[in-house]
Amino acid sequence: VTGTSPGAGTSFVTLNLAWVLAETGQRVLLVDANLRGGWLHRCFREAHLPGLHEVLRGAATLEQALLQEAAPGLVFLGAGALPPDPAELLAGAAFDTFVARVAAEYDVVLFDTPCILAVTDAALVGRHAGVRLAVVRAATQSLREVATALHQLEQSGVPARGVVLNGVPRSRAGRAVSGVYQYEYPSAS
């Protein structure tokens, strides 16, 4: 999962998707692959270490870095300390080995990555993904910016298979408004 630009809400969407998939009974691994400033660890624990960075460098085993049962069915791997060479780590053989291992152990592996317009990390991780999603924040990104981000993914050989529109404002009447369509949400009463 990547954003089209910073602030799109990629981490929020990835975290919630992981939670929903875990609640369906699937064994889910959520990986904070934002080695440039991931913050998902704050949702589970305060400590940064160890994480993906340390696992890829061989400074920690996967078992040492995983937060088992962050929620029922959900396992979490933080980014760890921020490396000086995140793209090189994600392009290396250690990452390939890591992905093969976790793909065999979990039903779903979700990678939260930095936005594609800032760095190439999402494309490097995306080459391992069966499904690639781009997150767009409503009313904050131009169509040109979104098109450029999607084009960059496609040019990298990892086209997005879906776009998540995040942050759609609600009208005063309690409806989510998205251009032409309005959806009513039933009240809790």
Side-chain angles (χ1 to χ4, degrees):
V1 180
T2 188
T4 52
S5 67
T10 305
S11 297
F12 171 79
V13 169
T14 308
L15 175 63
N16 282 284
L17 180 58
W19 225 281
V20 168
L21 290 170
E23 285 187 358
T24 67
Q26 297 185 71
R27 186 147 166 78
V28 178
L29 173 61
L30 172 60
V31 179
D32 190 344
N34 185 348
L35 299 179
R36 297 174 190 270
W39 62 266
L40 281 176
H41 63 279
R42 290 188 234 155
C43 298
F44 299 103
R45 60 181 176 190
E46 291 299 317
H48 257 277
L49 301 171
L52 179 60
H53 169 213
E54 290 74 24
V55 170
L56 296 179
R57 289 261 192 250
T61 66
L62 182 58
E63 292 74 19
Q64 292 170 326
L66 290 176
L67 176 61
Q68 295 290 339
E69 297 299 318
L74 178 60
V75 177
F76 175 69
L77 176 62
L82 303 182
D85 58 347
E88 288 80 7
L89 278 176
L90 296 173
F95 187 69
D96 296 344
T97 302
F98 166 78
V99 171
R101 178 176 175 192
V102 296
E105 293 180 18
Y106 295 90
D107 298 321
V108 177
V109 180
L110 290 171
F111 291 96
D112 180 33
T113 65
C115 69
I116 188 64
L117 289 179
V119 292
T120 61
D121 299 7
L124 296 170
V125 173
R127 63 193 168 106
H128 296 283
V131 175
R132 292 165 296 276
L133 299 174
V135 178
V136 176
R137 180 164 292 284
T140 61
Q141 297 168 291
S142 70
L143 288 177
R144 176 175 283 193
E145 186 176 39
V146 172
T148 300
L150 295 175
H151 180 71
Q152 189 165 339
L153 285 168
E154 193 168 316
Q155 290 298 104
S156 299
V158 291
R161 295 293 178 218
V163 175
V164 177
L165 185 60
N166 188 29
V168 176
R170 293 184 118 194
S171 71
R172 288 187 184 163
R175 294 183 289 261
V177 180
S178 61
V180 178
Y181 300 101
Q182 290 191 10
Y183 299 95
E184 284 285 338
Y185 293 104
S187 63
S189 56

